[in-house]
Amino acid sequence: MRKGLIFSSLLIVFIGSIILIFTFQRENQIEAHVQVASNKAKQMTEPVYKTWEETAVIGGIGDILIHDWVYEDAETKDGYDFKPMFEPIKFALQEPDLLMANQETVLGGVELGLSSYPTFNSPYEVGDALIDSGVDIVSTANNHTLDRGEKAIQNAIQYYERVGLPYVGHFKNFEDQETIRVLNKNGIRFAFLSYTYGTNGIPVPEGKEYLVNLIDLEKMKEEIERAKQEADVVVMSIHWGNEYQRYPSDEQQLIANELAQSGVDIIFGHHPHVLQPFEWIETENGRVFVAYSLGNFISGQMRNYKDIGGVVSLQVTKKVTGDGVDIQLSNPEFQPTYVSNVGLKNYRVVPLEEAGDYGLQQAEEKYEEIMDHMFQWIE
């Protein structure tokens, strides 16, 4: 009987040990499964950041100012053809990924009667040539926007919408005015804004303030803030300064600084009809590029630097990491241009360094002078 008790006790201990071992293994398995499940849940709830970097080149050109002798030279038996005027410089216009032009004269079309200075109205075919050359968007807020009234503006907008050329600066209604123009290139979103100092004394019709954006710093800052919510880069086209002055005024520099501190990244200036230097403005969020005036790209004006313009471009880099989005501007470049003609005929926009072939004396020296002038304020 004693042996039986010992055997029973040993059996109980043996079974108990097996149970303990099985329980321990089971608990380890459960714990391992819980840990795997926990890791998977953590991976699903934690944000996953994809680091990437992309670049795009943005460019700008100055005033498209169509005097009568320019559109008369473009006239054909079927209408107007401005494309040959841009052919010699087309290579430079197509290099940027995005290109903005300042359409100084309203494209109201021949139905309203074409006109020149002081109240301009130009053919739709000007826009056809810009599209063919590589222009992606036009700014339309300037001192000549109201030259031929609301009808010319609405005609121009109908044309732009028909051909798919984005515009900014004059608008068809308040809803159109409130819509931020955003173009996406290589994953970088560019917002385009446009304002002018005035309209040559022509009053904006009451209740139709959407017809043209007038410079108002508080309004501009509000729109800049909205643009920053929709885009990575904010580009401001602005009509300002003193005509025929080769350096910016104190007011231009003051406004540029205000816009830079408010979140604008790039400023393309117009109106002086001559080139004014480039500048970097440093802000707490990085540096802002300013082209105070890009001069006349094409016009009937001649001599005293009024027939010299150019194509400015710079590289925009967008870097996305777990820390956010970083935008960097770099590598500004400039291709100076010259508007040639022979007896107010055969208008052509040509590279300035090659303008000797088109009758400009000392073209190479003029090229060096212009490049020094434009880059004198930046490294």
Side-chain angles (χ1 to χ4, degrees):
M1 185 171 183
R2 184 177 178 82
K3 291 181 179 180
L5 289 172
I6 293 173
F7 176 78
S8 298
S9 298
L10 291 173
L11 181 61
I12 291 171
V13 171
F14 176 72
I15 294 173
S17 300
I18 291 175
I19 293 173
L20 286 174
I21 292 171
F22 177 79
T23 301
F24 179 75
Q25 290 177 338
R26 182 61 177 168
E27 287 178 350
N28 284 345
Q29 289 175 350
I30 293 173
E31 184 178 349
H33 284 302
V34 169
Q35 185 62 46
V36 169
S38 176
N39 290 340
K40 287 184 177 179
K42 187 176 182 181
Q43 291 172 1
M44 292 175 65
T45 56
E46 286 185 348
V48 178
Y49 296 103
K50 181 180 179 181
T51 299
W52 61 275
E53 180 175 314
E54 205 38 278
T55 63
V57 175
I58 184 170
I61 58 177
D63 300 339
I64 310 298
L65 186 60
I66 308 300
H67 291 89
D68 48 4
W69 40 90
V70 177
Y71 63 69
E72 287 169 359
D73 183 44
E75 189 170 8
T76 69
K77 63 179 181 179
D78 300 318
Y80 294 85
D81 184 7
F82 295 86
K83 294 177 183 178
M85 297 182 181
F86 301 119
E87 193 62 37
I89 199 62
K90 193 173 179 178
F91 74 94
L93 298 178
Q94 295 185 339
E95 286 182 357
D97 295 303
L98 288 175
L99 181 65
M100 186 178 205
N102 182 54
Q103 184 56 56
E104 179 94 3
T105 54
V106 178
L107 305 187
V110 296
E111 65 184 78
L112 295 183
L114 303 184
S115 55
S116 185
Y117 181 83
T119 52
F120 291 91
N121 180 48
S122 301
Y124 299 138
E125 288 89 342
V126 174
D128 295 343
L130 295 179
I131 295 170
D132 177 73
S133 299
V135 171
D136 297 287
I137 185 170
V138 290
S139 62
T140 55
N142 60 72
N143 56 308
H144 290 291
T145 301
L146 293 179
D147 276 3
R148 297 293 299 273
E150 181 179 2
K151 179 60 176 174
I153 293 173
Q154 297 294 356
N155 279 7
I157 290 174
Q158 290 174 16
Y159 162 75
Y160 290 134
E161 291 182 335
R162 185 166 65 250
V163 299
L165 180 59
Y167 61 89
V168 60
H170 65 24
F171 307 92
K172 57 186 177 183
N173 52 42
F174 285 114
E175 182 181 2
D176 189 29
Q177 187 181 37
E178 288 296 309
T179 302
I180 303 295
R181 273 57 174 171
V182 178
L183 299 182
N184 191 314
K185 197 67 179 180
N186 300 339
I188 306 175
R189 298 165 300 164
F190 294 84
F192 293 89
L193 313 179
S194 175
Y195 287 81
T196 178
Y197 74 91
T199 54
N200 287 349
I202 302 174
V204 179
E206 186 175 352
K208 295 185 177 181
E209 290 78 12
Y210 54 81
L211 289 177
V212 61
N213 275 346
L214 298 179
I215 291 175
D216 178 327
L217 283 175
E218 292 309 310
K219 177 184 175 182
M220 296 167 81
K221 289 176 182 179
E222 185 275 333
E223 187 172 40
I224 292 165
E225 185 60 34
R226 289 196 295 116
K228 289 167 60 180
Q229 302 304 311
E230 299 187 30
D232 303 302
V233 180
V234 179
V235 183
M236 174 68 73
S237 174
I238 186 167
H239 222 70
W240 59 359
N242 300 317
E243 290 186 316
Y244 317 123
Q245 300 300 306
R246 299 188 67 205
Y247 288 91
S249 65
D250 291 342
E251 183 182 38
Q252 280 175 272
Q253 293 180 295
L254 176 63
I255 292 175
N257 188 69
E258 288 277 350
L259 296 177
Q261 302 302 331
S262 299
V264 168
D265 298 286
I266 299 168
I267 300 174
F268 292 145
H270 312 285
H271 179 62
H273 302 300
V274 294
L275 294 168
Q276 294 179 344
F278 305 134
E279 185 176 32
W280 290 111
I281 295 179
E282 299 292 338
T283 74
E284 62 179 12
N285 295 318
R287 58 182 185 174
V288 174
F289 181 79
V290 185
Y292 281 103
S293 175
L294 290 173
N296 289 330
F297 191 74
I298 187 167
S299 79
Q301 295 184 314
M302 294 178 285
R303 294 178 289 276
N304 297 324
Y305 300 98
K306 296 189 295 291
D307 45 16
I308 296 176
V311 187
V312 65
S313 64
L314 65 156
Q315 181 173 296
V316 179
T317 301
K318 177 181 178 180
K319 184 180 294 185
V320 179
T321 67
D323 296 325
V325 178
D326 180 53
I327 298 293
Q328 295 291 331
L329 308 180
S330 62
N331 196 32
E333 296 184 353
F334 189 60
Q335 170 62 66
T337 57
Y338 172 73
V339 182
S340 74
N341 72 87
V342 180
L344 305 183
K345 299 290 184 181
N346 298 316
Y347 276 88
R348 297 291 185 273
V349 183
V350 304
L352 180 57
E353 64 270 30
E354 299 175 12
D357 298 336
Y358 295 83
L360 179 66
Q361 295 183 356
Q362 298 179 318
E364 293 184 4
E365 290 85 349
K366 185 68 70 176
Y367 170 85
E368 295 296 334
E369 177 197 342
I370 291 299
M371 293 297 282
D372 288 344
H373 179 69
M374 297 306 289
F375 286 90
Q376 61 185 288
W377 290 351
I378 63 176
E379 297 178 359

